[in-house]
Amino acid sequence: TVGDAVPASQRGSWSSFLKSIASFSGDLSSLTAPPFILSPTSLTEFPAYWCERPDLFAAIADAKEGEERHLAVLKWFISTLKDQYTSRNEELGSEKKPLNPVLGELFYAYWPDKNGRGQTNLLVEQVSHHPPITAYVIENKTKGLKLVGHNAQKTTFSAGSVIVKQIGHAVLTVKGVEYVITLPRLRIDGLWYGSPYIELIDSNHIIGENFVSLIEYKGKGYFSGKSHSFKATVSPASAEAPVAATSSSSGGGLGAWVGYGSKNSSSTSLSGKEHVVEGTWHETSSWVKGAGKGKFHDSSIGKEDFVVVGGEPNGEMGEFETRKLWNLVAKGIREGDFELASTEKSKIENDQRQRRKDEAAANTKWALKHFKHEANDPIYERLGKFAKINPPTEDRYTFVGNWPPSLA
Ligand code: CLR
């Protein structure tokens, strides 16, 4: 029945929340949800998921340029997925609704050096509120590694699930060489029962100068019968590089999973150089074809927590740093004091409204601290051709620097 996992007193409001999702598409973040499903964490903290295995990130720079490095990028990418998409279920019992960041919200953190691999720094800025867009940079200077990206979401409702199309992409620079990373789609299941969880669907790409990875996702019952299944195919980059039947940014996509092999088997130029790994992204995967044997990745190892710059919310933090900004709202949610949460949330929202009004009156605009918006991304356009990604061009948020002093 509806809301098996919902506290009895919140079932009514969960039903109305579901109704509003069903009759709505666009920006889910602005819908009011019942307290049991609220997370005390803002979306500005999510880019940290890209680097919770800093050893694998650093290993990219240690790998030999070319095939070996591309495989290291793929291994790191696959290993981020467990944190990105299943960690709230493990820590909070189900997927939850994150706090909706305000314009200019900031998050600074780092993973300390270990065994000489260097410190990895994270900087996040909320660059748009409507629609919510988050921009981030992750840098390991010692290794010459930098990941810059932005993301937004478009949501629709289909057959009882929420489908989340991710907008945006990331560019990884390794000692001056660039890789474009596109993002998979999500399906949020379990809504009816009040215990939402994410399944990845369709596909995404990692595109380098010499190699392209196509990562295809299939859930329970389709291919292996297991949730969170994926298959990654690494091929030399050329106009012939593999393309999913539907690209990461378009719909559908079941055909590509089974059809792919035969579709390309006539292309002899790829043989011997193609690599295939398969498995479950939240657990492990294995080599099916190519350079290696046995296990490819293992998500159960290597996780390290970040250190938040400024320490506690009452420490050395600016007003717009997420843990300080949302401190009391988060406290209310954590402690079940929803009156505190909602009063404090209203204060933040009113302050935001006032700021926008003042800016309009003064004919000024909020100035971003770390990023500059540009209509095109030449790197995305150049590398995107190797995988015929859709859309062929995207905007970008260029990192302009301005690290906080302790990370500079
Ligand atoms: C943000 C970018 C990260 C990966 C990621 C993981 C979970 C996603 C989140 C992104 C965007 C917001 C999201 C969330 C899961 C649920 C939440 C789609 C893509 C929506 C807004 C909340 C839905 C509400 C129900 C769960 C109740 O790299």
Side-chain angles (χ1 to χ4, degrees):
T1 60
V2 65
D4 270 347
V6 181
S9 65
Q10 295 178 38
R11 283 193 187 150
S13 89
W14 181 242
S15 302
S16 3
F17 178 69
L18 292 183
K19 269 180 215 144
S20 53
I21 295 182
S23 59
F24 174 93
S25 66
D27 177 8
L28 263 192
S29 53
S30 59
L31 294 177
T32 308
F36 85 94
I37 204 74
L38 302 179
S39 149
T41 307
S42 160
L43 266 185
T44 52
E45 294 200 26
F46 282 40
Y49 292 131
W50 286 108
C51 212
E52 296 193 311
R53 282 162 177 79
D55 266 345
L56 286 179
F57 191 57
I60 294 171
D62 297 335
K64 217 171 98 217
E65 158 64 10
E67 197 167 25
E68 194 184 312
R69 181 163 292 153
H70 192 98
L71 289 166
V73 176
L74 176 64
K75 184 171 170 177
W76 157 75
F77 172 82
I78 299 294
S79 304
T80 69
L81 300 177
K82 175 186 160 82
D83 300 326
Q84 303 256 21
Y85 303 111
T86 66
S87 58
R88 276 89 49 204
N89 288 67
E90 280 172 21
E91 280 150 32
L92 309 167
S94 81
E95 189 58 58
K96 302 264 167 169
K97 188 171 183 291
L99 297 170
N100 188 18
V102 305
L103 180 61
E105 190 172 318
L106 301 163
F107 183 53
Y108 304 125
Y110 65 94
W111 290 264
D113 179 26
K114 231 171 102 180
N115 307 322
R117 69 158 186 230
Q119 176 169 311
T120 314
N121 292 335
L122 166 68
L123 177 157
V124 186
E125 180 168 17
Q126 188 69 15
V127 293
S128 168
H129 177 69
H130 263 307
I133 307 175
T134 310
Y136 54 89
V137 49
I138 295 174
E139 185 171 31
N140 179 333
K141 276 196 195 129
T142 311
K143 293 286 182 186
L145 287 166
K146 198 173 190 174
L147 179 77
V148 183
H150 70 277
N151 63 269
Q153 299 86 36
K154 267 206 181 115
T155 51
T156 48
F157 192 76
S158 165
S161 303
V162 168
I163 307 292
V164 182
K165 176 179 170 184
Q166 296 205 70
I167 318 273
H169 63 277
V171 172
L172 171 68
T173 310
V174 191
K175 300 173 183 167
V177 180
E178 287 141 349
Y179 297 79
V180 165
I181 301 170
T182 64
L183 306 165
R185 279 191 188 200
L186 286 56
R187 196 181 62 225
I188 307 177
D189 290 326
L191 287 165
W192 181 258
Y193 302 101
S195 52
Y197 64 93
I198 290 172
E199 185 57 278
L200 292 178
I201 54 173
D202 288 353
S203 64
N204 75 300
H205 286 92
I206 300 172
I207 312 166
E209 303 277 352
N210 307 311
F211 291 89
V212 176
S213 289
L214 167 67
I215 304 128
E216 296 169 283
Y217 302 94
K218 290 295 166 276
K220 201 170 175 161
Y222 186 79
F223 183 71
S224 67
K226 276 189 163 177
S227 305
H228 308 331
S229 294
F230 79 98
K231 170 183 175 180
T233 308
V234 183
S235 312
S238 74
E240 311 302 314
V243 183
T246 52
S247 80
S248 56
S249 321
S250 51
L254 294 184
W257 186 254
V258 171
Y260 168 64
S262 53
K263 195 175 99 199
N264 287 273
S265 54
S266 58
S267 173
T268 45
S269 63
L270 299 186
S271 65
K273 278 197 182 166
E274 199 182 65
H275 305 277
V276 178
V277 300
E278 270 181 39
T280 48
W281 45 261
H282 66 311
E283 295 166 337
T284 62
S285 62
S286 309
W287 287 92
V288 170
K289 182 179 168 189
K293 272 210 166 75
K295 202 179 264 182
F296 177 68
H297 98 286
D298 185 346
S299 292
S300 69
I301 49 179
K303 180 157 169 162
E304 293 175 39
D305 289 332
F306 51 71
V307 180
V308 181
V309 171
E312 292 304 301
N314 296 321
E316 303 272 289
M317 270 184 202
E319 292 302 313
F320 273 79
E321 287 183 52
T322 186
R323 296 249 172 134
K324 173 120 179 166
L325 180 77
W326 294 106
N327 185 25
L328 292 174
V329 177
K331 183 175 188 285
I333 292 173
R334 259 189 232 106
E335 296 172 2
D337 184 346
F338 297 111
E339 209 167 298
L340 175 69
S342 98
T343 332
E344 293 300 321
K345 186 165 165 273
S346 300
K347 279 191 202 163
I348 294 172
E349 288 165 352
N350 291 338
D351 174 66
Q352 285 292 308
R353 271 190 281 275
Q354 192 57 51
R355 281 172 193 272
R356 302 293 90 83
K357 263 192 209 157
D358 294 348
E359 285 161 9
N363 201 17
T364 56
K365 262 178 100 184
W366 177 265
L368 298 179
K369 247 184 132 155
H370 303 287
F371 295 91
K372 193 175 122 208
H373 187 222
E374 286 171 318
N376 303 299
D377 183 345
I379 304 167
Y380 178 95
E381 285 167 25
R382 175 170 57 85
L383 292 173
K385 293 197 176 104
F386 292 133
K388 303 188 185 83
I389 48 176
N390 208 357
T393 184
E394 274 197 350
D395 61 347
R396 87 166 158 200
Y397 287 86
T398 306
F399 181 55
V400 296
N402 212 0
W403 286 97
S406 64
L407 295 182

